[in-house]
Amino acid sequence: MTLEQLRIFVAVAEREHVTRAAQALNLTQSATSAAVSALEARYQTKLFDRVGRRIVLTDAGRIFLSEARAVLARAGSAEVVLADLAGLKRGSLKLAGSQTVANYWLPSVAHRFQQRFPGIALGITIGNTETVAAQIHDGSADLGFVEGEVNDPALAIEAVAEDELVLVAVADHPWTVTPPSSPEDLKSQRWIVREQGSGTRAHFEAIRALRGVETDSLDIVLELPSNEAVRAAVEAGAGVAIMSRLVAHASLKAGTLVAVDFALPRRSFFVLRHQERYATRAAREFLALVRGEASHG
């Protein structure tokens, strides 16, 4: 069997559809079907059952899928090593970042990296802190950047930057004149927060506990999946929120939001990497760039 046959088999298995797999691989439907049929014929093993317009894996197909993925992963690792041997003239680097880091801090670092190493293709995926940690753990990303705590012994975690948190409200909110000073003040307002699993939500919970406010005593009216949604809800007057100054910057400058005079602890941005996986030259250079900025920032 060939790597191309394995690649086609995995694509079909993941989509349970020959046409969609062919489109994803930029192949014809006939070539995709032929590759699967060749595997089945050569080893006299049925890998898929045809159910109407769909196809589903047989028991043998499910067992073979995990092995096929493992072979492709090893081939990918071999390609990475060869790219490393060729220096930093070509190759790729897969980054993952939680929303605040990926949207507001990481792009400028990535831009500076590409100016130095234009032959390295950068890919960035965005999720919350839990999602990013999972991607580094399973090897689907090389480096992860988060603002939340991560407890995974397989991952090395290192602080690389600092971030300022601010309590924001609309300009006519009473807290812009008389800031909150007690747990009762905090309980008196409607709050907008990020979803569970995000670093910003974890810091919000830590601040709440630090200020002596019980878990169920705050009036949380909205729980939203992105920083931008939280910011827009606060601008609409739905409540107050704690967010990164990076997220709030444009709104604070425009006057649609005001930073309330309320002391909040600073937090760190962290880089995550798997301790047992091979670190490519591209990953090492990206880390060096990030560390250099941290030492001078």
Side-chain angles (χ1 to χ4, degrees), residues 91-238:
S92 63
L93 181 62
K94 294 174 288 185
L95 307 176
S98 56
Q99 287 193 25
T100 303
V101 182
N103 285 314
Y104 297 95
W105 179 80
L106 192 55
S108 62
V109 182
H111 174 62
R112 284 189 286 279
F113 179 84
Q114 288 201 304
Q115 285 181 314
R116 294 187 190 185
F117 308 108
I120 304 299
L122 286 182
I124 303 177
T125 59
I126 301 175
N128 63 30
T129 293
E130 286 185 353
T131 303
V132 172
Q135 287 180 281
I136 302 304
H137 188 98
D138 67 22
S140 57
D142 301 304
L143 297 172
F145 295 87
V146 299
E147 72 273 7
E149 293 293 329
V150 174
N151 296 309
D152 185 338
L155 305 184
I157 181 168
E158 176 185 345
V160 291
E162 277 200 337
D163 183 38
E164 181 184 357
L165 293 169
V166 291
L167 173 58
V168 294
V170 290
D172 60 354
H173 194 280
W175 279 0
T176 61
V177 177
T178 308
S181 58
S182 70
E184 294 307 315
D185 290 340
L186 299 178
K187 295 176 188 177
S188 70
Q189 294 299 315
R190 292 150 54 95
W191 288 85
I192 302 162
V193 299
R194 283 284 308 279
E195 82 285 4
Q196 294 287 351
S198 78
T200 300
R201 176 60 176 269
H203 282 279
F204 172 81
E205 298 293 352
I207 291 165
R208 173 198 57 72
L210 184 65
R211 296 284 179 167
V213 181
E214 296 178 0
T215 304
D216 299 327
S217 59
L218 286 182
D219 183 15
I220 296 177
V221 294
L222 288 173
E223 182 176 289
L224 299 171
S226 74
N227 293 317
E228 291 68 31
V230 171
R231 185 180 61 204
V234 178
E235 288 178 328

Side-chain angles (χ1 to χ4, degrees), residues 21-45:
Q23 290 170 345
L25 296 171
N26 198 28
L27 296 173
T28 64
Q29 183 175 340
S30 59
T32 303
S33 296
V36 174
S37 297
L39 278 175
E40 291 181 320
R42 179 176 179 84
Y43 297 98
Q44 298 184 359
T45 302

